[in-house]
């Protein structure tokens, strides 16, 4: 009997996290290599992210990195999770994706988010402030109008006009309503905040208005998934990111990922320990059977058509093995 997992698409977002002892350029090359491996395993799409001035993340130019990934793969859909639209002029974003779609026709996705710079200094460098995200819906409309040739500016995006690049909205807070009103597919997370996620999905479906981009709602749920031979091995994959997040919450800096073994030797303050333990909870992690059971539950609860896995860890081989096991669970078709 076919399970709901087997009828669900599985995709990956890699944040190009830097690791102790490895450079930012190493992280970007790791991202491209991972995309090639995941294409062979049968994953549906591979997305990259946008972060500015964050020490632990090398991915600052998602459309540039997406071009490198698309050039190194053959059939994998490639896109952004996402381009943070408030940081950019919509015309420039349209032009960038028009170039990508022209070079790699039928393979490019345009994932769009509403976050602004990580710190005040980054926002100043970008020429933006926190309030610019308040007009995300307007920025989104302006961007999409460049593809349909209906921009109120009367400017034309070349070579974008007339091309179809599937847009996705990364939904945080009111993002679900924005995606619904625009008639766009929605990416929502994270899996740890299950009830909040399900409320957002219900709101999205209730408010969805069909558009030229999507005739009906399309839901992508996102979050960390770690699969290993045992629960402790799966937990080990979660440790570097949980510690890095705890460190950022208590020290204000986002460090490169350390090996799990080094984290085990660290003495943490009570506050650090609290954030660290919290960072380990709520993810989908365990053996293949445990992960399959939990994925089956969350996909049924959400009615999602796709799962976007966002796992980051120090051990790249362990990460790839997790994706191999997940591909087996989902019965993906190897290339």
């Amino acid at each position: 009997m076919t399970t709901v997992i087997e009828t669900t698409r599985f995709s990956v977002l890699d944040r190009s996290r830097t690791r102790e002892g490895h450079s930012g350029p190493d992280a970007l090359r790791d991202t491209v290599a991972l995309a090639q491996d995941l294409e062979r395993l049968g994953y549906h799409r591979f997305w990259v992210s946008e972060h500015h001035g964050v020490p632990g993340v090398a991915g600052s130019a998602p459309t540039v990195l997406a071009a490198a990934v698309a050039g190194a793969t053959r059939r994998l859909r490639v896109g952004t999770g996402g381009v943070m639209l408030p940081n950019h002029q919509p015309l420039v974003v349209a032009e960038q994706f028009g170039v990508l779609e022209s070079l790699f026709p039928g393979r490019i996705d345009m994932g769009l988010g509403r976050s602004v710079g990580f710190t005040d200094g980054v926002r100043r460098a970008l020429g933006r402030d926190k309030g610019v995200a308040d007009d995300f819906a307007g920025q989104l409309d302006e961007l999409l109008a460049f593809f349909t040739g209906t921009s109120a500016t009367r400017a034309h995006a070349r070579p974008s006009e007339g091309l179809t690049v599937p847009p996705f909205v990364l939904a945080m807070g009111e993002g679900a309503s924005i995606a619904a009103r625009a008639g766009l597919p929605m990416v929502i997370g994270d899996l740890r905040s299950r009830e909040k996620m399900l409320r957002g999905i219900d709101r999205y479906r209730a408010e969805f208005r069909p558009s030229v981009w999507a005739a009906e709602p399309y839901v992508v749920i996102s979050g960390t998934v770690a699969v290993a031979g045992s629960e402790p091995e799966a937990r080990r994959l979660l440790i570097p990111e949980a510690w890095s997040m705890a460190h950022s919450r208590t020290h204000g800096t986002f460090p490169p990922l350390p090996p799990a073994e080094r984290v085990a030797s660290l003495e943490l303050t009570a506050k650090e320990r609290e954030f660290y333990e919290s960072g380990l909870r709520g993810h989908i992690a365990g053996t293949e059977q445990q992960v399959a059971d939990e994925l089956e539950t969350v996909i049924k609860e959400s009615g999602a058509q796709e799962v976007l896995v966002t796992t980051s860890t120090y051990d790249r081989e362990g990460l790839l093995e997790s994706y191999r096991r997940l591909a087996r669970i989902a019965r993906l078709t190897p290339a």
Side-chain angles (χ1 to χ4, degrees):
M1 184 178 69
T2 301
T3 66
V4 68
I5 295 176
E6 294 171 50
T7 60
T8 303
R9 289 170 167 166
F10 279 80
S11 302
V12 171
L13 164 66
D14 190 72
R15 294 191 178 91
S16 303
R17 292 285 274 116
T18 57
R19 300 179 292 152
E20 285 187 0
H22 300 264
S23 67
D26 289 337
L28 296 173
R29 287 188 285 267
D30 285 344
T31 291
V32 176
L34 179 62
Q36 293 173 313
D37 288 327
L38 295 180
E39 178 172 64
R40 287 190 283 269
L41 289 173
Y43 283 85
H44 181 60
R45 47 179 127 241
F46 186 91
W47 283 4
V48 296
S49 62
E50 175 181 336
H51 294 84
H52 298 285
V54 181
V57 184
S60 56
T63 53
V64 177
L65 184 52
V69 170
T73 53
R74 292 182 299 106
R75 61 149 199 91
L76 193 67
R77 294 200 65 88
V78 178
T80 55
V83 163
M84 296 303 153
L85 194 50
N87 292 338
H88 309 281
Q89 292 297 333
L91 172 62
V92 176
V93 175
E95 290 170 339
Q96 290 173 344
F97 278 97
V99 169
L100 283 171
E101 176 63 22
S102 299
L103 293 173
F104 308 102
R107 293 179 55 204
I108 300 301
D109 300 321
M110 185 167 57
L112 304 162
R114 64 191 298 268
S115 296
V116 289
F118 188 61
T119 64
D120 288 339
V122 168
R123 287 190 288 272
R124 284 195 300 272
L126 290 169
R128 297 293 189 268
D129 57 42
K130 288 183 179 181
V132 72
D134 295 340
D135 190 35
F136 177 66
Q139 295 157 357
L140 185 61
D141 288 343
E142 184 179 348
L143 169 63
L144 298 180
F146 283 119
F147 287 92
T148 56
T150 58
S151 173
T153 66
R154 298 186 181 180
H156 296 273
R158 311 292 187 199
S160 315
E161 193 170 301
L163 297 180
T164 300
V165 183
F168 294 74
V169 171
L170 277 60
M172 298 294 288
E174 67 179 88
S177 293
I178 292 173
R181 288 195 295 269
L184 300 180
M186 176 184 70
V187 183
I188 188 167
D190 72 39
L191 295 172
R192 295 193 301 165
S193 304
R194 198 72 52 87
E195 290 185 8
K196 181 180 178 182
M197 183 185 76
L198 294 176
R199 286 196 303 271
I201 291 171
D202 288 343
R203 185 167 67 253
Y204 167 69
R205 290 202 174 103
E207 298 177 8
F208 185 86
R209 299 192 307 218
S211 72
V212 297
W213 303 100
E216 57 189 24
Y218 188 90
V219 174
V220 183
I221 54 175
S222 68
T224 294
V225 179
V227 197
S230 67
E231 280 190 79
E233 290 176 56
R235 178 184 170 90
R236 175 180 170 273
L237 293 176
L238 304 178
I239 286 173
E241 182 76 9
W243 177 84
S244 184
M245 290 299 293
H247 190 276
S248 72
R249 297 285 296 275
T250 52
H251 293 78
T253 61
F254 205 78
L257 297 176
E261 293 72 21
R262 191 174 80 74
V263 175
S265 68
L266 297 175
E267 290 189 15
L268 305 181
T269 66
K271 183 59 70 174
E272 286 173 330
R273 177 67 60 182
E274 178 184 341
F275 284 128
Y276 170 65
E277 294 294 343
S278 174
L280 292 172
R281 290 194 294 269
H283 304 292
I284 296 180
T287 64
E288 289 182 37
Q289 188 59 58
Q290 289 171 322
V291 168
D293 290 344
E294 193 162 356
L295 280 172
E296 187 86 5
T297 297
V298 72
I299 293 170
K300 285 180 177 177
E301 288 178 347
S302 64
Q305 289 97 330
E306 187 168 343
V307 177
L308 180 69
V309 183
T310 62
T311 310
S312 297
T313 191
Y314 178 88
D315 181 0
R316 297 297 288 190
E317 181 51 46
L319 179 64
L320 180 56
E321 177 60 21
S322 177
Y323 284 129
R324 288 191 191 105
R325 291 176 180 271
L326 181 57
R328 283 202 294 269
I329 294 169
R331 299 193 179 180
L332 303 184
T333 303

